Amino acid sequence: MSLSILTITAVILALGIAAQVLAQRLEIPSVLFLILIGVGLGPAGVGLVTAETFGEGLSTVVGLSVAIIVFDGAFQLRREKLRLAPKAITGLTTVGAVVMFLGTAGAVRFFLGTDWGVSLLVGALLIATGPTVITPILSVVTVREHVETTLEAEGIFNDVTAAILAIVVFETLVIESAPLAAPGGFLQRLIVGVGVGVVIALVLRQLFLRVNFPAGEAPRVARLAVLAAVILAYGLSEALFAETGVAAVATAGLILGNSALPHRESIEAFTRDLTLVVLSIVFISLAALIDFGALVGLGLAGVLVVMVITLVIRPGVVFLSARDPQFTRNERLFVSLVGPRGIIPASIATLFAIELIQAGQSEAAQVLTGTVFLVIFLTVMLQAGLARRIATTLDVIPMPTILIGGGRVGRMLAERLENRDENVVIVERRADRVDDLQADGFTALCGDGTESAVLREADTDRAKRVVAATGNDDTNLLVAQLARTKFDVDTVLARVNEPENVESFEALDVIAIDASEATAWSIDNEIERPAIAHWMTQLGEGHDVQEIELTAPDLVGRTIREVNADIPDGCIVAVIGRGGETHVPAADETLERGDHVTFLGSRESVTEAVRRFHPRD
């Protein structure tokens, strides 16, 4: 019995959304489930989705879906995030992209024996990783911010490179329909795509700044205006030059994401929800088109191509590029092993294959789609599916801060900690609060923090610290006792609401924060030292104070005066702790290994100082 397109689309959406929920529950990237669902619905499975299901409209649906996904990813890339790993991002998107392009082409040429045109086309397409696969991975695998930003930025920028380079290679070397030389054609398309994105973004920004929308309708109008801008940028750029729409929406997303737009939170939530929906559509639909005959036809040679790309070229590119001092060896290895390919190569390879078949080059079409889909299929299955296991094995998931209580105190504390790149997990028994916390981007777990099973589910076994922040002292005392005795957590802090209970907490070697005393201290600071009190209150809003242990060997034995050049502007060494005593250092004081150095200043400057004084192996 044949079903209508509407019914098939409804089935795809329902299964896709169910897969997203299941993926979050199991902490496995959703792309793994989506591609399996697609295979199950395709000709290799029940045959519900075939190449004829959507006809020529599939390329349009996939194109617009990719535009939304890429825009959403670019919209999240703030300037301050990109500064976290400049060498890694620049390397992976320039020299790294070239090495991946030529290395992949060489592997395809050597193992599969195809001509250089098709080999270079495959190489161009497989530069891309993309937000379609990276976003689901990062939603369930928490890594440090510089690692996360590197993967996100690589996905956005290399998607643009892959899309434009692939069409240039296809037209100049495969079907030889374009007289433009490859470098000139690439630059021309890149300029067009970026130019369209800049114009659309600037026009939309001016619209937001100059037009007064009705107060009650303003957030909705802002969301719809952004959606219209994404579709317009993609469609206009594609009308001027094929495969430049990705560059246009990525550019628009970067500009708008770094602009002071009204209703930013509403726009972010809207684009993220749209991404979840269209991600299901494109992955399931394209996975259903996988020709397993073409994959099997590649034989051992195809598997060797995948192995060279994932185990030789990718690690070489990452270790060549990720030279920022904050990257540990295991973090470089994680980025090397987690680089699955996504929708951009799949959708473009499908369109090119159709043109090759029409041009009488069926064998080239089979090698193209077979190789691209084999790499996508295996990297999604292995690298995306095992991403959390890889991260756990390599120990690149930051030790979490477990925060019991998601009320006003807990929420404010979580926000401050996350602003300092802490991995925070909130445990809250009220389901409505958990929903609100999750909607605001916090990692929140619904459960009773006084139960061992709940604490274990929150990953307390490997916690950096546990903070009991509820309004009930009995609850906080029980949480502290469990954290100390059952989970052996080194640092346990507790909010104490009744001063007479402080001794009970201190008896457990728990850092007790007396709410009454803390309030009095804050008021006294406001009276006696208002400037510093205001500054401390604004921590998390561009300011920071951090204490680290001095481990940089080239700084040991030097004076504060001598190392001033290594301390970024906007930051000072405020305090040094040594031998259990704390003091403000003099300019001629000599630093010793193991000194506890406290930096005070702007967040960016403090972060740079921490990296310089406390490099990680």
Side-chain angles (χ1 to χ4, degrees):
M1 180 181 68
S2 61
L3 299 177
S4 67
I5 293 179
L6 177 61
T7 302
I8 294 173
T9 302
V11 171
I12 290 174
L13 278 174
L15 291 176
I17 293 172
Q20 307 263 9
V21 175
L22 180 63
Q24 286 291 333
R25 179 64 179 171
L26 299 179
E27 295 188 327
I28 297 174
S30 61
V31 289
L32 176 63
F33 294 111
L34 296 177
I35 202 168
L36 290 176
I37 291 171
V39 170
L41 294 180
V46 299
L48 183 65
V49 181
T50 66
E52 292 75 30
T53 299
F54 297 101
E56 296 181 357
L58 180 61
S59 62
T60 301
V61 172
V62 170
L64 291 175
S65 299
V66 168
I68 292 170
I69 296 168
V70 170
F71 176 87
D72 175 61
F75 193 77
Q76 310 298 326
L77 284 179
R78 307 286 192 270
R79 282 188 295 268
E80 55 270 21
K81 291 184 67 175
L82 293 174
R83 295 192 190 104
L84 293 173
K87 293 180 181 178
I89 294 171
T90 302
L92 288 172
T93 56
T94 54
V95 176
V98 173
V99 172
M100 180 61 70
F101 169 46
L102 297 178
T104 301
V108 173
R109 169 74 174 174
F110 180 79
F111 289 110
L112 298 178
T114 188
D115 64 75
W116 274 112
V118 174
S119 299
L120 289 168
L121 179 58
V122 174
L125 288 171
L126 293 180
I127 291 172
T129 53
T132 56
V133 285
I134 296 302
T135 299
I137 290 174
L138 295 178
S139 69
V140 297
V141 180
T142 302
V143 291
R144 291 182 173 85
E145 197 170 11
H146 61 272
V147 178
E148 177 182 88
T149 300
T150 297
L151 289 170
E152 290 174 336
E154 179 198 16
I156 296 297
F157 297 139
N158 281 355
D159 263 11
V160 174
T161 301
I164 296 176
L165 184 58
I167 188 66
V168 172
V169 170
F170 183 70
E171 292 183 350
T172 57
L173 300 179
V174 180
I175 61 175
E176 301 178 357
S177 64
L180 288 173
F186 177 84
L187 289 175
Q188 189 175 14
R189 283 178 163 82
L190 181 61
I191 290 171
V192 168
V194 170
V196 170
V198 168
V199 171
I200 295 296
L202 293 180
V203 169
L204 184 62
R205 189 169 66 177
Q206 289 301 311
L207 178 67
F208 282 144
L209 293 176
R210 296 180 181 277
V211 178
N212 293 322
F213 301 111
E217 297 295 319
R220 185 174 66 175
V221 172
R223 296 192 296 266
L224 294 177
V226 166
L227 178 59
V230 172
I231 296 173
L232 179 61
Y234 182 80
L236 180 58
S237 190
E238 286 288 316
L240 296 173
F241 264 127
E243 305 305 333
T244 59
V246 173
V249 295
T251 302
L254 281 170
I255 293 174
L256 293 172
N258 287 281
S259 301
L261 296 181
H263 315 296
R264 172 185 292 278
E265 293 183 359
S266 178
I267 293 171
E268 284 185 354
F270 178 63
T271 57
R272 185 50 50 93
D273 288 343
L274 275 179
T275 293
L276 292 178
V277 173
V278 299
L279 190 65
S280 303
I281 295 175
V282 293
F283 248 110
I284 292 176
S285 299
L286 288 179
L289 303 183
I290 294 178
D291 183 355
F292 282 92
L295 269 61
V296 174
L298 296 176
L300 179 60
V303 176
L304 290 174
V305 168
V306 179
M307 292 178 64
V308 168
I309 292 172
T310 57
L311 300 179
V312 179
I313 302 174
R314 171 73 179 179
V317 165
V318 171
F319 276 83
L320 178 68
S321 303
R323 293 180 290 108
D324 301 86
Q326 67 269 33
F327 276 90
T328 65
R329 183 182 62 84
N330 280 0
E331 286 173 341
R332 292 186 182 95
L333 194 55
F334 175 76
V335 176
S336 301
L337 296 177
V338 180
R341 288 355 185 233
I343 289 300
I344 290 289
S347 59
I348 297 177
T350 301
L351 297 177
F352 287 170
I354 294 172
E355 292 192 41
L356 287 173
I357 292 173
Q358 292 174 347
Q361 301 184 48
S362 298
E363 185 176 347
Q366 189 171 22
V367 171
L368 172 63
T369 56
T371 307
V372 169
F373 274 99
L374 182 64
V375 172
I376 293 171
F377 188 75
L378 291 181
T379 56
V380 167
M381 294 291 292
L382 298 176
Q383 295 186 334
L386 298 175
R388 187 169 182 84
R389 179 65 59 85
I390 294 171
T392 302
T393 302
L394 294 175
D395 194 26
V396 298
I397 299 177
M399 294 174 66
T401 291
I402 311 299
L403 206 162
I404 312 300
R408 285 174 296 189
V409 173
R411 173 186 281 268
M412 292 178 66
L413 178 59
E415 184 175 348
R416 287 173 175 267
L417 291 172
E418 289 198 343
N419 282 338
R420 294 201 295 271
D421 200 19
E422 294 275 357
N423 176 19
V424 181
V425 178
I426 304 173
V427 177
E428 168 59 49
R429 67 172 68 192
R430 285 178 50 178
D432 58 333
R433 280 186 180 172
V434 172
D435 290 340
D436 290 340
L437 289 164
Q438 291 176 343
D440 290 337
F442 295 103
T443 301
L445 172 68
C446 188
D448 187 344
T450 63
E451 296 180 1
S452 298
V454 173
L455 291 177
R456 187 169 289 108
E457 186 180 356
D459 210 11
T460 308
D461 287 307
R462 53 185 301 275
K464 180 178 183 179
R465 65 177 70 87
V466 170
V467 181
T470 76
N472 185 291
D473 284 356
D474 291 337
T475 298
N476 291 344
L477 187 62
L478 183 53
V479 168
Q481 187 174 20
L482 284 172
R484 270 284 181 218
T485 59
K486 190 155 190 173
F487 293 94
D488 196 26
V489 179
D490 289 334
T491 303
V492 180
L493 304 94
R495 169 187 173 187
V496 183
N497 302 281
E498 299 296 334
E500 60 269 20
N501 293 331
V502 169
E503 290 185 5
S504 299
F505 286 89
E506 291 179 342
L508 293 172
D509 196 20
V510 171
I511 301 172
I513 310 300
D514 183 341
S516 301
E517 184 178 344
T519 302
W521 179 82
S522 297
I523 294 173
D524 182 49
N525 276 336
E526 193 68 39
I527 294 171
E528 292 295 325
R529 50 196 74 85
I532 191 67
H534 293 165
W535 192 90
M536 291 292 293
T537 301
Q538 293 170 0
L539 282 177
E541 299 177 10
H543 308 89
D544 202 0
V545 177
Q546 287 200 41
E547 176 185 320
I548 53 92
E549 181 180 348
L550 175 62
T551 58
D554 59 320
L555 297 178
V556 174
R558 298 173 65 189
T559 65
I560 293 292
R561 180 181 287 109
E562 290 172 338
V563 300
N564 270 339
D566 296 294
I567 302 174
D569 291 338
C571 172
I572 63 170
V573 175
V575 175
I576 288 182
R578 181 185 300 157
E581 296 183 356
T582 301
H583 62 277
V584 177
D588 294 327
E589 180 167 349
T590 301
L591 292 170
E592 298 179 6
R593 185 174 183 83
D595 279 351
H596 284 257
V597 182
T598 299
F599 297 103
L600 181 150
S602 69
R603 189 191 306 166
E604 289 183 7
S605 298
V606 169
T607 300
E608 287 299 319
V610 168
R611 291 170 185 163
R612 179 68 183 90
F613 278 63
H614 185 63
R616 291 181 288 131
D617 295 331

